[in-house]
Amino acid sequence: MKIVNLLKKGKPSLSFEVFPPKTETSFDSVRTATEEIAKLKPSFMSVTYGAGGGTSKYTLDIAKNIKELYAVPTLAHLTCVSSTKATVRQKIKDIKDSGIQNIMALRGDIPSELENADRTGWDYKYAIDLIRELKEADSDFCIGCACYPEIHPESANQKEDIGHLKEKVDAGCDFITTQMFFDNNLLYNFLYKIREAGINVPVIPGIMPITNANQVERSVKLSGSFMPQRFKSIVDKFGSDPAAMKQAGIAYATDQIIDLYANGITNVHVYSMNKPDVARKVQSNLSDILGK
Ligand code: FAD
């Protein structure tokens, strides 16, 4: 099932993101965790590619497993930076052969050792190069791309960043998923600006439930997201009590999601980080809204 078609249903829904195992030995535990999340029957599940500690090798295995055993539509992430055309084309073929219709087309982070490298000879410099490659390989893929309500860290300003987002959409992107954010007003402001710039595809907000104090620093560093005082107070008060912090973090994410639905968002993507208990709790907090 294509994600763009799922979004047309118009009913509030939740999707979850998982990441693949880092090593073969952790494959079974990751598979079990992702299956537990799939049993919640989310609208779809995305499987990252080489992010969150997982390796790219298992993205497709995990995505296929979820789709085939639980009939949950899957979104396979794919990055292109520092990859060759041959590698990327093989990955695209593997995704197509597995029957997965949804691909999240990403550039990926530049590896630190290549940050100062001459990029002129690279096969892929930006996500748009991958989107064009996907369109050429199969115009029937449903393609997603990433966006940054608080600006991508490499962009000089938001206007430039939104300009590059528009190029990705014009190249054939069907929907956009956002980087995590902790203040919904930043998203509403961003939505206003991108609609004004002529970007009209669906936007799926990404919400990360922060369930322990250590995650705060890591998530902010990774995403560059602004932490509202209301959230900082929660961490100050409950950060040293793991159970209380988890409960408060899930409640905060739930609150954000309810506000998004109330403001016209159909599907919210939860960065569930291979934690079935967190995914389950967020979903049960929304049970009447989701009709589950
Ligand atoms: P791009 O869209 O290529 O943008 C990167 C930067 O280049 C931006 O500053 C942009 O404004 C600029 N830019 C774009 N086009 C041009 C151009 N033509 N000329 C000049 N500048 C340009 N990482 C992973 O490794 N694996 C994952 O699975 C993964 N999943 C993600 C999912 C989501 C929803 C998000 C938000 C991020 C994810 N990431 C993942 C992180 C992502 O790879 C990084 O944020 C990366 O630095 C940028 O990727 P992009 O696809 O947004 O890049």
Side-chain angles (χ1 to χ4, degrees), residues 30 97 148 155 168 185 198 242:
V30 169
D97 292 347
Y148 304 83
S155 281
K168 293 198 281 190
N185 287 325

Side-chain angles (χ1 to χ4, degrees), residues 48-49 51 77 106-109 126-127 148 152 155 161 164 168:
T48 65
Y49 186 86
H77 289 208
L106 298 145
R107 184 196 70 177
D109 283 323
Y126 299 105
Y148 304 83
H152 186 270
S155 281
D161 209 27
H164 293 311
K168 293 198 281 190

Side-chain angles (χ1 to χ4, degrees), residues 32-45:
T32 306
T34 57
E35 287 185 2
E36 287 303 307
I37 295 175
K39 284 179 194 163
L40 298 171
K41 294 280 171 203
S43 55
F44 71 89
M45 282 172 72

Side-chain angles (χ1 to χ4, degrees), residues 17 47-52 77-79 104-110 125-129 145-148 151-157 160-162 164-165 167-168 176-180 222 269 271:
E17 180 158 300
V47 187
T48 65
Y49 186 86
H77 289 208
L78 183 61
T79 65
M104 175 62 94
L106 298 145
R107 184 196 70 177
D109 283 323
I110 312 277
K125 292 194 189 72
Y126 299 105
I128 191 169
D129 303 327
C145 71
C147 73
Y148 304 83
I151 311 177
H152 186 270
E154 289 165 39
S155 281
N157 55 58
E160 189 184 293
D161 209 27
I162 291 177
H164 293 311
L165 180 62
E167 286 162 10
K168 293 198 281 190
I176 311 170
T177 306
T178 76
Q179 178 62 285
M180 67 182 86
L222 195 80
H269 197 52
Y271 295 120

Side-chain angles (χ1 to χ4, degrees), residues 19-37 62 274-276:
F19 55 82
K22 205 170 187 172
T23 59
E24 203 177 328
T25 47
S26 57
F27 188 88
D28 285 345
S29 64
V30 169
R31 186 176 53 191
T32 306
T34 57
E35 287 185 2
E36 287 303 307
I37 295 175
I62 296 289
N274 297 3
K275 292 178 186 160

